[in-house]
Amino acid sequence: MDDDSPDEVFTDFRTRHLGGWGVVQIAAGTGLAVYVMWVGVLQPGFRRVPLKLQVPYIPASKAQVKNVMTLMRGRTGDLVDLGSGDGRIVLEAYQHGFSPAVGYELNPWLVRLARFHAWRAGCYGKVSYRQEDLWKVDLSKCKNVTVFLAPSVLSLLQKKLQVELPDDALVVAGRFPFPDWSPCRIEGQGVDRAWSYSMQAQRQHTSQKNENLIVRSIVRKPPLVRSK
């Protein structure tokens, strides 16, 4: 994998000038504080991202992680976490038997934190965190996908997932549901709630919806009147 080695990660933290916001992010990733500001505006990896696609880093709670894994119960194979933050979903997924477990995160400091957490958990080299734009990731072979993203992002992401994911893929969203999809299962309550979506069922639902729209447009179309 192309992850930094533990020594490189520690060296990076020691030699780089983090600045105030960098310290806040590290504190959040290590559980010392909840970082609820829109860091995308300030961090170099996010400056080119449109405002509505920026997502604040809010670490998933233990209950949220548990609910996501409950919805993934019985699934096997790979798992991809889009917007993986400090990497806790990927780590938990690997510990539940998912492999390869990969996280995609655009914020460079969070990627480094995730790799540090993997090393600390004894999972270095067993999970992967990549600093990549999730919109450019090829998801055509992904069977298990998790997301903790803002509603404004989910409304656009659902289109990408529906186009690229295979029929047997399962998508689990935490904290916010996909706005136009119907979940097959829901786990938890309040802010800890998670929703799972079957891509096959979702495509069938979308296809049926489009067919109904076509039928309605035909029925409403006025009949042609032939002139004598």
Side-chain angles (χ1 to χ4, degrees):
M1 297 181 182
D2 58 353
D3 293 356
D4 299 335
S5 67
D7 290 338
E8 291 172 338
V9 173
F10 288 128
T11 300
D12 205 4
F13 281 133
R14 287 197 300 265
T15 59
R16 285 180 180 247
H17 176 67
L18 301 182
W21 294 117
V23 172
V24 172
Q25 277 193 321
I26 291 176
T30 53
L32 299 178
V34 177
Y35 179 38
V36 295
M37 299 188 69
W38 291 85
V39 297
V41 178
L42 303 174
Q43 293 300 328
F46 284 87
R47 287 175 181 166
R48 62 181 180 274
V49 179
L51 183 61
K52 71 177 181 178
L53 298 184
Q54 294 169 4
V55 181
Y57 167 52
I58 303 177
S61 67
K62 291 182 178 180
Q64 289 170 339
V65 174
K66 179 182 177 182
N67 290 336
V68 168
M69 290 298 105
T70 297
L71 292 174
M72 283 289 180
R73 189 174 296 160
R75 304 281 297 181
T76 58
D78 66 284
L79 182 137
V80 169
D81 187 24
L82 301 177
S84 52
D86 63 4
R88 62 186 66 193
I89 293 290
V90 173
L91 271 179
E92 190 71 19
Y94 175 76
Q95 293 167 354
H96 278 73
F98 290 95
S99 182
V102 183
Y104 291 97
E105 171 61 53
L106 196 57
N107 189 311
W109 289 112
L110 292 179
V111 172
R112 289 180 173 87
L113 278 171
R115 292 172 179 173
F116 169 71
H117 290 160
W119 173 82
R120 190 174 63 178
C123 296
Y124 177 76
K126 300 174 182 178
V127 296
S128 179
Y129 299 102
R130 302 174 185 175
Q131 186 187 339
E132 294 185 30
D133 185 346
L134 65 85
W135 303 104
K136 299 178 181 178
V137 176
D138 181 9
L139 302 174
S140 59
K141 296 182 180 179
C142 298
K143 300 296 182 68
N144 304 290
V145 179
T146 58
V147 294
F148 274 76
L149 298 171
S152 60
V153 180
L154 293 176
S155 63
L156 299 176
L157 181 61
Q158 63 188 13
K159 300 176 183 178
K160 174 180 173 65
L161 297 179
Q162 192 156 338
V163 169
E164 296 184 15
L165 289 178
D167 278 345
D168 57 347
L170 184 74
V171 180
V172 174
R175 198 175 287 124
F176 297 106
F178 284 93
D180 302 320
W181 285 6
S182 299
C184 54
R185 286 184 61 195
I186 300 175
E187 189 72 23
Q189 300 293 329
V191 296
D192 294 327
R193 187 175 299 176
W195 298 258
S196 66
Y197 304 87
S198 162
M199 285 311 305
Q200 184 175 28
Q202 188 56 46
R203 286 195 175 102
Q204 291 173 349
H205 175 74
T206 302
S207 177
Q208 184 62 48
K209 184 178 179 180
N210 291 338
E211 289 179 4
N212 291 339
L213 290 175
I214 293 174
V215 171
R216 289 177 184 176
S217 64
I218 294 176
V219 171
R220 291 177 182 177
K221 188 175 181 180
L224 293 174
V225 178
R226 294 183 180 180
S227 58
K228 296 182 180 179

